[in-house]
Amino acid sequence: TATNLTTDERLLKICELLEENVSYYNWVGFYFKNGDKNELKLGPYVGAPTDHTIIPFGKGICGQVAVSNENFVVPDVTAQDNYIACSITVKAEIVIPIFVNGENIGQIDIDSNTPDPFTEADERFLEFVCEKVSEIL
Ligand code: SME
């Protein structure tokens, strides 16, 4: 049946579905480029609240993806020197950019409490999710 959800409500549902259905997806959220500022702003997410609602381009895994336009898979967050810790339980992270008309406009960010859990199948799946997300923005 037809629904009338806002974009943020739809994005939150995507976060919830991912977190509930993949055991090693423990924090799932969106960051989007913040207007014409050189920073990312936190969007809908599920998981522990984070202080990092604004991330400058280049900073942390998310900030690096904002400028590289490429997937970033981190098997072990302790091995990264440009990393922003949100929770001490996090062992690994994956960030996949979202493109609209070829432009990197944001990203999906997933933290895992399991060490080295992400495979190429996660990358392909999350790229597919990001393509679908780009169609509802
Ligand atoms: N760890 C990220 C920051 C965002 S939190 O994971 C929610 C980073 O290094 O960019």
Side-chain angles (χ1 to χ4, degrees), residues 64-103:
Q64 291 177 80
V65 169
V67 295
S68 74
N69 309 322
E70 287 178 6
N71 298 348
F72 200 150
V73 180
V74 181
D76 172 6
V77 295
T78 68
Q80 293 291 320
D81 45 38
N82 188 359
Y83 170 71
I84 303 167
C86 285
S87 162
I88 54 161
T89 65
V90 174
K91 299 282 199 296
E93 177 163 5
I94 186 169
V95 178
I96 308 288
I98 300 167
F99 297 98
V100 173
N101 299 324
E103 188 191 348

mmCIF file of all heavy atoms in Angstrom, residues 64-103:
data_model
loop_
_atom_site.group_PDB
_atom_site.id
_atom_site.type_symbol
_atom_site.label_atom_id
_atom_site.label_comp_id
_atom_site.label_asym_id
_atom_site.label_seq_id
_atom_site.Cartn_x
_atom_site.Cartn_y
_atom_site.Cartn_z
ATOM 1 N N GLN A 64 37.580 11.045 4.661
ATOM 2 C CA GLN A 64 38.449 10.615 3.555
ATOM 3 C C GLN A 64 37.623 10.165 2.355
ATOM 4 O O GLN A 64 37.973 10.445 1.201
ATOM 5 C CB GLN A 64 39.389 9.499 4.022
ATOM 6 C CG GLN A 64 40.452 9.982 5.018
ATOM 7 C CD GLN A 64 41.312 8.824 5.520
ATOM 8 O OE1 GLN A 64 42.224 8.386 4.834
ATOM 9 N NE2 GLN A 64 41.030 8.340 6.728
ATOM 10 N N VAL A 65 36.501 9.472 2.614
ATOM 11 C CA VAL A 65 35.639 9.016 1.513
ATOM 12 C C VAL A 65 34.967 10.215 0.833
ATOM 13 O O VAL A 65 34.729 10.195 -0.380
ATOM 14 C CB VAL A 65 34.614 7.991 2.025
ATOM 15 C CG1 VAL A 65 33.552 7.697 0.973
ATOM 16 C CG2 VAL A 65 35.328 6.709 2.435
ATOM 17 N N ALA A 66 34.717 11.273 1.595
ATOM 18 C CA ALA A 66 34.121 12.492 1.016
ATOM 19 C C ALA A 66 35.020 13.073 -0.071
ATOM 20 O O ALA A 66 34.518 13.681 -1.019
ATOM 21 C CB ALA A 66 33.861 13.530 2.106
ATOM 22 N N VAL A 67 36.349 12.875 0.051
ATOM 23 C CA VAL A 67 37.265 13.422 -0.961
ATOM 24 C C VAL A 67 37.787 12.369 -1.941
ATOM 25 O O VAL A 67 38.132 12.708 -3.070
ATOM 26 C CB VAL A 67 38.442 14.204 -0.315
ATOM 27 C CG1 VAL A 67 37.917 15.440 0.401
ATOM 28 C CG2 VAL A 67 39.256 13.361 0.631
ATOM 29 N N SER A 68 37.828 11.093 -1.547
ATOM 30 C CA SER A 68 38.366 10.049 -2.448
ATOM 31 C C SER A 68 37.327 9.535 -3.428
ATOM 32 O O SER A 68 37.679 9.005 -4.487
ATOM 33 C CB SER A 68 38.886 8.856 -1.636
ATOM 34 O OG SER A 68 37.802 8.088 -1.131
ATOM 35 N N ASN A 69 36.041 9.638 -3.072
ATOM 36 C CA ASN A 69 34.925 9.085 -3.872
ATOM 37 C C ASN A 69 35.016 7.569 -4.013
ATOM 38 O O ASN A 69 34.469 7.006 -4.955
ATOM 39 C CB ASN A 69 34.873 9.722 -5.272
ATOM 40 C CG ASN A 69 34.888 11.226 -5.225
ATOM 41 O OD1 ASN A 69 34.273 11.828 -4.341
ATOM 42 N ND2 ASN A 69 35.587 11.837 -6.159
ATOM 43 N N GLU A 70 35.709 6.915 -3.081
ATOM 44 C CA GLU A 70 35.868 5.459 -3.179
ATOM 45 C C GLU A 70 35.443 4.773 -1.889
ATOM 46 O O GLU A 70 35.520 5.358 -0.803
ATOM 47 C CB GLU A 70 37.334 5.117 -3.477
ATOM 48 C CG GLU A 70 37.698 5.452 -4.920
ATOM 49 C CD GLU A 70 39.147 5.188 -5.244
ATOM 50 O OE1 GLU A 70 39.876 4.637 -4.401
ATOM 51 O OE2 GLU A 70 39.534 5.558 -6.367
ATOM 52 N N ASN A 71 35.034 3.512 -2.048
ATOM 53 C CA ASN A 71 34.738 2.691 -0.862
ATOM 54 C C ASN A 71 35.949 2.668 0.057
ATOM 55 O O ASN A 71 37.096 2.675 -0.422
ATOM 56 C CB ASN A 71 34.435 1.243 -1.264
ATOM 57 C CG ASN A 71 33.219 1.127 -2.160
ATOM 58 O OD1 ASN A 71 32.450 2.064 -2.323
ATOM 59 N ND2 ASN A 71 33.043 -0.064 -2.735
ATOM 60 N N PHE A 72 35.698 2.593 1.355
ATOM 61 C CA PHE A 72 36.788 2.457 2.328
ATOM 62 C C PHE A 72 36.390 1.338 3.291
ATOM 63 O O PHE A 72 35.429 1.465 4.039
ATOM 64 C CB PHE A 72 36.997 3.770 3.075
ATOM 65 C CG PHE A 72 38.348 3.922 3.735
ATOM 66 C CD1 PHE A 72 38.893 5.189 3.883
ATOM 67 C CD2 PHE A 72 39.072 2.832 4.206
ATOM 68 C CE1 PHE A 72 40.140 5.369 4.493
ATOM 69 C CE2 PHE A 72 40.317 2.993 4.808
ATOM 70 C CZ PHE A 72 40.860 4.273 4.949
ATOM 71 N N VAL A 73 37.115 0.229 3.209
ATOM 72 C CA VAL A 73 36.875 -0.907 4.092
ATOM 73 C C VAL A 73 38.004 -0.962 5.112
ATOM 74 O O VAL A 73 39.182 -0.997 4.726
ATOM 75 C CB VAL A 73 36.805 -2.233 3.307
ATOM 76 C CG1 VAL A 73 36.550 -3.401 4.257
ATOM 77 C CG2 VAL A 73 35.722 -2.164 2.242
ATOM 78 N N VAL A 74 37.657 -0.939 6.380
ATOM 79 C CA VAL A 74 38.644 -0.945 7.465
ATOM 80 C C VAL A 74 38.468 -2.225 8.279
ATOM 81 O O VAL A 74 37.535 -2.326 9.080
ATOM 82 C CB VAL A 74 38.473 0.291 8.378
ATOM 83 C CG1 VAL A 74 39.506 0.292 9.481
ATOM 84 C CG2 VAL A 74 38.539 1.579 7.575
ATOM 85 N N PRO A 75 39.354 -3.203 8.093
ATOM 86 C CA PRO A 75 39.215 -4.469 8.834
ATOM 87 C C PRO A 75 39.510 -4.315 10.322
ATOM 88 O O PRO A 75 38.983 -5.061 11.134
ATOM 89 C CB PRO A 75 40.254 -5.387 8.189
ATOM 90 C CG PRO A 75 40.908 -4.627 7.102
ATOM 91 C CD PRO A 75 40.477 -3.203 7.162
ATOM 92 N N ASP A 76 40.395 -3.338 10.646
ATOM 93 C CA ASP A 76 40.846 -3.161 12.037
ATOM 94 C C ASP A 76 41.027 -1.664 12.270
ATOM 95 O O ASP A 76 42.001 -1.072 11.790
ATOM 96 C CB ASP A 76 42.170 -3.909 12.230
ATOM 97 C CG ASP A 76 42.810 -3.629 13.582
ATOM 98 O OD1 ASP A 76 42.191 -2.948 14.435
ATOM 99 O OD2 ASP A 76 43.951 -4.095 13.791
ATOM 100 N N VAL A 77 40.110 -1.068 13.011
ATOM 101 C CA VAL A 77 40.159 0.391 13.178
ATOM 102 C C VAL A 77 41.404 0.844 13.950
ATOM 103 O O VAL A 77 41.858 1.976 13.768
ATOM 104 C CB VAL A 77 38.871 0.935 13.844
ATOM 105 C CG1 VAL A 77 37.658 0.722 12.944
ATOM 106 C CG2 VAL A 77 38.656 0.355 15.229
ATOM 107 N N THR A 78 41.981 -0.036 14.764
ATOM 108 C CA THR A 78 43.165 0.368 15.539
ATOM 109 C C THR A 78 44.393 0.555 14.645
ATOM 110 O O THR A 78 45.372 1.172 15.052
ATOM 111 C CB THR A 78 43.505 -0.642 16.655
ATOM 112 O OG1 THR A 78 43.949 -1.867 16.064
ATOM 113 C CG2 THR A 78 42.317 -0.882 17.562
ATOM 114 N N ALA A 79 44.335 0.032 13.417
ATOM 115 C CA ALA A 79 45.458 0.169 12.489
ATOM 116 C C ALA A 79 45.374 1.453 11.651
ATOM 117 O O ALA A 79 46.261 1.703 10.832
ATOM 118 C CB ALA A 79 45.516 -1.044 11.560
ATOM 119 N N GLN A 80 44.333 2.253 11.844
ATOM 120 C CA GLN A 80 44.142 3.492 11.067
ATOM 121 C C GLN A 80 44.600 4.697 11.883
ATOM 122 O O GLN A 80 44.159 4.878 13.027
ATOM 123 C CB GLN A 80 42.646 3.672 10.741
ATOM 124 C CG GLN A 80 42.101 2.636 9.785
ATOM 125 C CD GLN A 80 42.658 2.789 8.389
ATOM 126 O OE1 GLN A 80 42.814 3.892 7.888
ATOM 127 N NE2 GLN A 80 42.964 1.663 7.760
ATOM 128 N N ASP A 81 45.452 5.546 11.305
ATOM 129 C CA ASP A 81 45.826 6.746 12.076
ATOM 130 C C ASP A 81 44.859 7.904 11.847
ATOM 131 O O ASP A 81 44.701 8.746 12.724
ATOM 132 C CB ASP A 81 47.288 7.155 11.851
ATOM 133 C CG ASP A 81 47.697 7.140 10.406
ATOM 134 O OD1 ASP A 81 46.870 7.521 9.554
ATOM 135 O OD2 ASP A 81 48.831 6.752 10.121
ATOM 136 N N ASN A 82 44.192 7.937 10.692
ATOM 137 C CA ASN A 82 43.181 8.978 10.458
ATOM 138 C C ASN A 82 41.804 8.362 10.665
ATOM 139 O O ASN A 82 41.120 8.000 9.706
ATOM 140 C CB ASN A 82 43.342 9.552 9.047
ATOM 141 C CG ASN A 82 42.459 10.760 8.808
ATOM 142 O OD1 ASN A 82 41.691 11.176 9.686
ATOM 143 N ND2 ASN A 82 42.557 11.316 7.616
ATOM 144 N N TYR A 83 41.448 8.217 11.917
ATOM 145 C CA TYR A 83 40.212 7.522 12.298
ATOM 146 C C TYR A 83 39.565 8.283 13.452
ATOM 147 O O TYR A 83 40.272 8.754 14.351
ATOM 148 C CB TYR A 83 40.546 6.080 12.732
ATOM 149 C CG TYR A 83 39.390 5.350 13.373
ATOM 150 C CD1 TYR A 83 38.299 4.933 12.610
ATOM 151 C CD2 TYR A 83 39.367 5.088 14.738
ATOM 152 C CE1 TYR A 83 37.230 4.282 13.193
ATOM 153 C CE2 TYR A 83 38.304 4.422 15.327
ATOM 154 C CZ TYR A 83 37.240 4.023 14.557
ATOM 155 O OH TYR A 83 36.178 3.383 15.143
ATOM 156 N N ILE A 84 38.246 8.409 13.401
ATOM 157 C CA ILE A 84 37.494 9.062 14.483
ATOM 158 C C ILE A 84 36.720 7.983 15.226
ATOM 159 O O ILE A 84 35.801 7.372 14.658
ATOM 160 C CB ILE A 84 36.503 10.102 13.915
ATOM 161 C CG1 ILE A 84 37.218 11.156 13.076
ATOM 162 C CG2 ILE A 84 35.726 10.760 15.054
ATOM 163 C CD1 ILE A 84 36.249 12.011 12.242
ATOM 164 N N ALA A 85 37.096 7.728 16.465
ATOM 165 C CA ALA A 85 36.419 6.695 17.255
ATOM 166 C C ALA A 85 35.098 7.230 17.796
ATOM 167 O O ALA A 85 35.039 8.316 18.375
ATOM 168 C CB ALA A 85 37.305 6.251 18.401
ATOM 169 N N CYS A 86 34.035 6.467 17.550
ATOM 170 C CA CYS A 86 32.720 6.848 18.079
ATOM 171 C C CYS A 86 32.376 6.006 19.285
ATOM 172 O O CYS A 86 31.668 6.456 20.180
ATOM 173 C CB CYS A 86 31.650 6.680 17.010
ATOM 174 S SG CYS A 86 31.715 7.983 15.771
ATOM 175 N N SER A 87 32.848 4.776 19.336
ATOM 176 C CA SER A 87 32.523 3.861 20.431
ATOM 177 C C SER A 87 33.683 2.886 20.592
ATOM 178 O O SER A 87 34.249 2.427 19.596
ATOM 179 C CB SER A 87 31.236 3.108 20.106
ATOM 180 O OG SER A 87 31.144 1.964 20.911
ATOM 181 N N ILE A 88 34.025 2.566 21.818
ATOM 182 C CA ILE A 88 35.163 1.675 22.048
ATOM 183 C C ILE A 88 34.855 0.234 21.648
ATOM 184 O O ILE A 88 35.760 -0.585 21.553
ATOM 185 C CB ILE A 88 35.645 1.712 23.513
ATOM 186 C CG1 ILE A 88 34.491 1.430 24.473
ATOM 187 C CG2 ILE A 88 36.306 3.035 23.841
ATOM 188 C CD1 ILE A 88 34.963 0.992 25.858
ATOM 189 N N THR A 89 33.577 -0.079 21.407
ATOM 190 C CA THR A 89 33.218 -1.449 21.009
ATOM 191 C C THR A 89 33.494 -1.711 19.527
ATOM 192 O O THR A 89 33.486 -2.862 19.099
ATOM 193 C CB THR A 89 31.728 -1.738 21.273
ATOM 194 O OG1 THR A 89 30.937 -0.888 20.437
ATOM 195 C CG2 THR A 89 31.362 -1.506 22.730
ATOM 196 N N VAL A 90 33.738 -0.666 18.756
ATOM 197 C CA VAL A 90 33.861 -0.822 17.302
ATOM 198 C C VAL A 90 35.227 -1.392 16.926
ATOM 199 O O VAL A 90 36.265 -0.898 17.354
ATOM 200 C CB VAL A 90 33.629 0.528 16.584
ATOM 201 C CG1 VAL A 90 33.904 0.398 15.091
ATOM 202 C CG2 VAL A 90 32.214 1.022 16.824
ATOM 203 N N LYS A 91 35.200 -2.432 16.078
ATOM 204 C CA LYS A 91 36.430 -3.087 15.621
ATOM 205 C C LYS A 91 36.729 -2.827 14.155
ATOM 206 O O LYS A 91 37.874 -2.876 13.732
ATOM 207 C CB LYS A 91 36.304 -4.607 15.804
ATOM 208 C CG LYS A 91 36.088 -5.058 17.236
ATOM 209 C CD LYS A 91 37.397 -5.023 18.019
ATOM 210 C CE LYS A 91 37.345 -5.870 19.276
ATOM 211 N NZ LYS A 91 36.361 -5.386 20.243
ATOM 212 N N ALA A 92 35.673 -2.599 13.353
ATOM 213 C CA ALA A 92 35.827 -2.485 11.904
ATOM 214 C C ALA A 92 34.789 -1.521 11.359
ATOM 215 O O ALA A 92 33.779 -1.238 12.023
ATOM 216 C CB ALA A 92 35.674 -3.855 11.254
ATOM 217 N N GLU A 93 35.056 -1.018 10.150
ATOM 218 C CA GLU A 93 34.145 -0.021 9.570
ATOM 219 C C GLU A 93 34.149 -0.149 8.058
ATOM 220 O O GLU A 93 35.167 -0.524 7.458
ATOM 221 C CB GLU A 93 34.615 1.382 9.994
ATOM 222 C CG GLU A 93 33.805 2.535 9.415
ATOM 223 C CD GLU A 93 34.025 3.848 10.177
ATOM 224 O OE1 GLU A 93 34.876 3.894 11.092
ATOM 225 O OE2 GLU A 93 33.334 4.828 9.840
ATOM 226 N N ILE A 94 33.000 0.170 7.444
ATOM 227 C CA ILE A 94 32.922 0.253 5.979
ATOM 228 C C ILE A 94 32.146 1.508 5.627
ATOM 229 O O ILE A 94 31.119 1.803 6.236
ATOM 230 C CB ILE A 94 32.279 -1.020 5.370
ATOM 231 C CG1 ILE A 94 32.335 -0.996 3.842
ATOM 232 C CG2 ILE A 94 30.862 -1.244 5.865
ATOM 233 C CD1 ILE A 94 31.951 -2.340 3.187
ATOM 234 N N VAL A 95 32.678 2.261 4.656
ATOM 235 C CA VAL A 95 32.014 3.479 4.187
ATOM 236 C C VAL A 95 31.911 3.406 2.670
ATOM 237 O O VAL A 95 32.911 3.162 1.980
ATOM 238 C CB VAL A 95 32.776 4.748 4.622
ATOM 239 C CG1 VAL A 95 32.087 5.994 4.081
ATOM 240 C CG2 VAL A 95 32.890 4.817 6.144
ATOM 241 N N ILE A 96 30.698 3.603 2.150
ATOM 242 C CA ILE A 96 30.424 3.528 0.716
ATOM 243 C C ILE A 96 29.809 4.849 0.275
ATOM 244 O O ILE A 96 28.803 5.287 0.843
ATOM 245 C CB ILE A 96 29.421 2.372 0.407
ATOM 246 C CG1 ILE A 96 29.877 1.044 1.026
ATOM 247 C CG2 ILE A 96 29.180 2.260 -1.099
ATOM 248 C CD1 ILE A 96 31.059 0.389 0.375
ATOM 249 N N PRO A 97 30.413 5.514 -0.736
ATOM 250 C CA PRO A 97 29.858 6.796 -1.180
ATOM 251 C C PRO A 97 28.537 6.644 -1.925
ATOM 252 O O PRO A 97 28.271 5.605 -2.536
ATOM 253 C CB PRO A 97 30.945 7.355 -2.099
ATOM 254 C CG PRO A 97 31.760 6.193 -2.530
ATOM 255 C CD PRO A 97 31.631 5.138 -1.461
ATOM 256 N N ILE A 98 27.743 7.700 -1.879
ATOM 257 C CA ILE A 98 26.464 7.779 -2.599
ATOM 258 C C ILE A 98 26.625 8.841 -3.694
ATOM 259 O O ILE A 98 27.019 9.972 -3.399
ATOM 260 C CB ILE A 98 25.316 8.194 -1.653
ATOM 261 C CG1 ILE A 98 25.154 7.178 -0.528
ATOM 262 C CG2 ILE A 98 24.014 8.371 -2.436
ATOM 263 C CD1 ILE A 98 24.270 7.668 0.620
ATOM 264 N N PHE A 99 26.327 8.441 -4.933
ATOM 265 C CA PHE A 99 26.486 9.358 -6.067
ATOM 266 C C PHE A 99 25.125 9.756 -6.631
ATOM 267 O O PHE A 99 24.262 8.907 -6.827
ATOM 268 C CB PHE A 99 27.305 8.695 -7.174
ATOM 269 C CG PHE A 99 28.708 8.349 -6.748
ATOM 270 C CD1 PHE A 99 29.024 7.055 -6.326
ATOM 271 C CD2 PHE A 99 29.700 9.317 -6.744
ATOM 272 C CE1 PHE A 99 30.319 6.736 -5.918
ATOM 273 C CE2 PHE A 99 30.995 9.011 -6.347
ATOM 274 C CZ PHE A 99 31.300 7.720 -5.925
ATOM 275 N N VAL A 100 24.964 11.051 -6.871
ATOM 276 C CA VAL A 100 23.800 11.558 -7.599
ATOM 277 C C VAL A 100 24.331 12.317 -8.805
ATOM 278 O O VAL A 100 25.110 13.267 -8.645
ATOM 279 C CB VAL A 100 22.931 12.465 -6.706
ATOM 280 C CG1 VAL A 100 21.825 13.126 -7.535
ATOM 281 C CG2 VAL A 100 22.314 11.676 -5.551
ATOM 282 N N ASN A 101 23.940 11.867 -10.004
ATOM 283 C CA ASN A 101 24.463 12.454 -11.248
ATOM 284 C C ASN A 101 25.988 12.500 -11.251
ATOM 285 O O ASN A 101 26.592 13.501 -11.634
ATOM 286 C CB ASN A 101 23.891 13.857 -11.475
ATOM 287 C CG ASN A 101 22.379 13.839 -11.607
ATOM 288 O OD1 ASN A 101 21.820 12.910 -12.176
ATOM 289 N ND2 ASN A 101 21.727 14.856 -11.065
ATOM 290 N N GLY A 102 26.593 11.408 -10.766
ATOM 291 C CA GLY A 102 28.049 11.299 -10.779
ATOM 292 C C GLY A 102 28.762 12.048 -9.673
ATOM 293 O O GLY A 102 29.984 11.966 -9.557
ATOM 294 N N GLU A 103 28.010 12.771 -8.849
ATOM 295 C CA GLU A 103 28.630 13.558 -7.775
ATOM 296 C C GLU A 103 28.476 12.838 -6.435
ATOM 297 O O GLU A 103 27.394 12.347 -6.094
ATOM 298 C CB GLU A 103 27.951 14.938 -7.697
ATOM 299 C CG GLU A 103 28.646 15.890 -6.754
ATOM 300 C CD GLU A 103 27.823 17.146 -6.476
ATOM 301 O OE1 GLU A 103 26.824 17.379 -7.200
ATOM 302 O OE2 GLU A 103 28.178 17.871 -5.527
#
